[in-house]
């Protein structure tokens, strides 16, 4: 016997709704004499990233730690801070096809939540990208104190859209988050950005 059709949607932010142009970071790295990919590499080190995703430190503190780590390669702390500030001014771009789909789902009466591992900068980012009011719930790991793929995160996200896990469809570009959602009882799609992803979601939700 198959699962019942999902009656709520949870969508990841980075990698699904928000895209990042890698040329921006690459341009900053070239300008400051840094090796390619080092900004993201340092920022995403788990010991540095996990505290900001769970509300232990602020986004600003996280970026300060990145700048501190880059002081040598950048040619001093001032240049490192300038490089990080320039990099951080770019806040990504909205995938308009995904946003259009979210709007159609909500217009059809199904709740849609933004389910993201993020920092205290999330609300500002949503405002800057014109996304305020586009979701029925925003589940930010920073505010929750626990990050995907923890079961507790997905339980909280399902409560936020007032839907039991077995009736929630979750979309994320990270395999570990997709696996975590399935362990928590949700159905989940690994997002690749290919056209068949949206076709699958439309069929799964009848939109």
């Amino acid at each position: 016997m198959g699962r019942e059709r999902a009656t709520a949607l949870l969508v990841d932010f980075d990698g699904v709704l928000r895209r990042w142009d890698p040329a921006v970071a690459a341009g900053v790295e070239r300008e400051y004499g840094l090796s390619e990919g080092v900004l993201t590499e340092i920022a995403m080190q788990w010991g540095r990233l996990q505290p900001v995703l769970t509300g232990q430190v602020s986004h600003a503190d996280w970026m300060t730690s990145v700048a501190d780590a880059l002081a040598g390669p950048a040619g001093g702390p001032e240049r490192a801070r300038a490089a990080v500030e320039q990099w951080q001014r770019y806040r990504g771009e909205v995938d308009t096809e995904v946003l259009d789909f979210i709007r159609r789902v909500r217009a059809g009466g199904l709740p849609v939540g933004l389910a993201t591992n993020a920092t205290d900068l999330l609300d500002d980012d949503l405002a800057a990208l014109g996304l305020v009011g586009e979701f029925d719930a925003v589940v930010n790991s920073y505010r929750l104190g626990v990050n995907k793929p923890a079961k507790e995160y997905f339980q909280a996200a399902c409560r936020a859209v007032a839907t039991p896990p077995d009736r929630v469809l979750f979309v994320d570009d990270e395999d570990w988050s997709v696996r975590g959602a399935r362990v928590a009882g949700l159905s989940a799609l690994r997002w690749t950005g290919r056209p068949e992803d949206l076709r699958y979601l439309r069929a799964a939700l009848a939109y």
Side-chain angles (χ1 to χ4, degrees), residues 64-96:
T64 295
S65 75
V66 173
D68 290 344
L70 285 170
E78 289 187 9
R79 281 178 56 82
R81 285 194 297 270
V84 170
E85 288 171 5
Q86 184 173 329
W87 172 49
Q88 286 292 292
R89 281 198 289 270
Y90 172 61
R91 303 312 303 162
E93 302 158 16
V94 174
D95 186 319
T96 56

Side-chain angles (χ1 to χ4, degrees), residues 6-200:
T7 56
L9 178 66
L10 291 173
V11 179
D12 181 37
F13 193 28
D14 291 322
V16 180
L17 181 57
R18 175 165 64 174
R19 299 176 298 187
W20 298 94
D21 184 351
V24 175
V28 174
E29 288 159 350
R30 284 194 302 271
E31 181 176 342
Y32 287 87
L34 300 169
S35 58
E36 183 178 353
V38 72
L39 286 167
T40 300
E41 178 185 342
I42 290 177
M44 298 301 285
Q45 290 170 347
W46 190 241
R48 197 184 308 278
L49 178 64
Q50 197 266 349
V52 74
L53 296 183
T54 52
Q56 299 172 58
V57 301
S58 68
H59 189 103
D61 290 338
W62 176 39
M63 286 299 110
T64 295
S65 75
V66 173
D68 290 344
L70 285 170
E78 289 187 9
R79 281 178 56 82
R81 285 194 297 270
V84 170
E85 288 171 5
Q86 184 173 329
W87 172 49
Q88 286 292 292
R89 281 198 289 270
Y90 172 61
R91 303 312 303 162
E93 302 158 16
V94 174
D95 186 319
T96 56
E97 281 193 312
V98 175
L99 180 58
D100 287 345
F101 177 72
I102 288 170
R103 288 170 172 169
R104 286 198 298 274
V105 172
R106 293 187 72 208
L110 299 190
V112 178
L114 185 69
T116 180
N117 285 342
T119 75
D120 55 320
L121 205 61
L122 179 62
D123 290 345
D124 290 342
D125 281 352
L126 294 178
L129 294 170
L131 294 173
V132 174
E134 295 287 358
F135 314 98
D136 297 286
V138 174
V139 187
N140 181 356
S141 64
Y142 183 91
R143 304 296 179 195
L144 193 60
V146 63
N147 59 278
K148 295 179 289 182
K151 186 175 182 178
E152 294 83 358
Y153 178 94
F154 291 108
Q155 290 171 335
C158 290
R159 289 195 297 269
V161 291
T163 307
D166 62 353
R167 300 303 297 275
V168 176
L169 175 57
F170 170 68
V171 185
D172 199 293
D173 64 316
E174 295 284 355
D175 187 60
W176 66 329
S177 290
V178 168
R179 292 199 306 268
R182 290 172 178 164
V183 168
L186 294 73
S187 56
L189 170 70
R190 168 77 185 281
W191 181 262
T192 67
R194 294 193 291 265
E196 53 264 35
D197 292 344
L198 273 178
R199 286 199 294 269
Y200 174 88

